[in-house]
Amino acid sequence: MVNGISVDTILIPSDNYSYVLRRGDCAIVIDACNGTLLFEYLQRQNLKLQAILSTHHHSDHTSGNLKLKKMTGCEIVATDKRVRGADRIVADSDSIKFCDSHITALLLPGHTKHGAGWYLPDEGMVFTGDTMFGAGCGRLFEGSPDQMYNSLQRLASLPDDTLVYFGHEYTIDNLGFALSLEPDNEALQDRFKAETCKLSEGTYTTPSTVNIEKTTNPFLRCREKTIRAQLGMIDRSPVAVFAEVRKRKDRF
Ligand code: ZN
Ligand code: FE
């Protein structure tokens, strides 16, 4: 619990994350990945759903939108009008308030053209959807390497202890790839062990923190000499290195 708000992590099979933010009986869902599962959860917990905040329009993150809106009358807020059932489209850096929390929209193009992160500055939390994963990032479906690089840098510029809640459980696979680029990075080796432990105990690897991502996520480490040397790109720009790392991950 941070500043009176707590986050329930709901893993929607097989690897999607929905999040329920709650204060008292007031709830917000970040990415309604499954309407039935989430509606049952809200009922069991006696929560009143105020809003769904969607990170992007892909169906694995929005397939519960219409059902939850119909069952609860909640508002659906997004940064992309393609999001199913969107009632309100907000712009970059707009601040909205639900359940007594200020939530800032961060426009993060790259995975999609109009995707968002949802940032709670007072609580020190950010919900990144498919822009940033644990030790990874989403594929470039609608954006350029330049856009995705800048979106990731924007997330990396948040305070180090900001909790990072991401959209999929891909962390172990991502760490395997990261280790192929930086086999001697001790923070990476330690994280691999720690995250493997969490999963074998039945807990999740979400959330991480901005600092953990900065030290172990290869997509945030395109300025590091070790990675540039490994790729034979010592003199290339961080965006060029990012594009190459993304290309290699697509084939990993
Ligand atoms: Zn997606
Ligand atoms: Fe996804």
Side-chain angles (χ1 to χ4, degrees):
M1 173 120 47
V2 184
N3 288 352
I5 202 153
S6 55
V7 180
D8 295 351
T9 299
I10 317 281
L11 180 68
I12 308 287
S14 61
D15 55 37
N16 268 100
Y17 280 124
S18 288
Y19 297 100
V20 179
L21 280 61
R22 53 197 286 180
R23 187 193 300 275
D25 66 355
C26 182
I28 306 161
V29 163
I30 311 275
D31 282 354
C33 302
N34 181 304
T36 306
L37 289 178
L38 286 165
F39 182 68
E40 283 168 10
Y41 186 83
L42 293 164
Q43 276 209 313
R44 269 204 309 278
Q45 301 282 325
N46 278 317
L47 293 169
K48 293 190 178 72
L49 184 63
Q50 303 297 306
I52 297 169
L53 310 186
S54 288
T55 60
H56 64 298
H57 71 97
H58 286 160
S59 60
D60 60 323
H61 299 261
T62 56
S63 53
N65 279 12
L66 297 182
K67 173 158 185 152
L68 279 182
K69 181 155 93 168
K70 190 169 157 212
M71 305 296 277
T72 68
C74 71
E75 185 179 11
I76 298 178
V77 185
T79 52
D80 188 337
K81 58 180 187 316
R82 294 174 294 177
V83 165
R84 237 172 270 192
D87 298 298
R88 189 175 4 159
I89 303 300
V90 295
D92 185 43
S93 301
D94 278 1
S95 184
I96 50 179
K97 198 174 180 186
F98 288 108
C99 303
D100 273 337
S101 279
H102 293 281
I103 305 170
T104 305
L106 306 176
L107 218 59
L108 302 172
H111 178 66
T112 64
K113 202 170 172 195
H114 306 287
W118 298 105
Y119 177 45
L120 283 70
D122 300 333
E123 286 82 5
M125 304 172 173
V126 67
F127 295 83
T128 61
D130 290 359
T131 300
M132 190 178 344
F133 296 131
C137 75
R139 287 177 189 257
L140 306 184
F141 286 125
E142 299 176 4
S144 64
D146 194 51
Q147 286 176 319
M148 188 61 143
Y149 179 82
N150 287 316
S151 293
L152 291 168
Q153 286 299 311
R154 191 166 179 202
L155 292 169
S157 73
L158 299 175
D160 270 351
D161 58 356
T162 305
L163 296 168
V164 176
Y165 292 87
F166 37 87
H168 287 269
E169 183 55 70
Y170 293 157
T171 306
I172 292 298
D173 188 53
N174 289 339
L175 287 168
F177 173 71
L179 281 164
S180 75
L181 295 176
E182 290 190 284
D184 300 323
N185 178 339
E186 279 181 28
L188 201 47
Q189 296 163 355
D190 291 346
R191 185 174 183 191
F192 188 85
K193 283 182 214 142
E195 307 287 30
T196 304
C197 242
K198 283 184 205 164
L199 291 180
S200 67
E201 285 163 0
T203 56
Y204 310 121
T205 69
T206 187
S208 67
T209 65
V210 164
N211 188 49
I212 290 172
E213 295 306 328
K214 286 201 294 198
T215 53
T216 57
N217 189 326
F219 297 99
L220 299 182
R221 297 175 57 73
C222 299
R223 288 172 190 279
E224 294 297 317
K225 216 172 163 186
T226 44
I227 290 192
R228 288 185 297 143
Q230 174 78 16
L231 300 173
M233 298 179 79
I234 268 299
D235 298 324
R236 301 294 301 281
S237 72
V239 174
V241 174
F242 170 80
E244 179 61 24
V245 174
R246 186 58 260 179
K247 220 186 269 169
R248 290 185 184 219
K249 177 65 174 71
D250 288 345
R251 298 191 303 249
F252 183 70

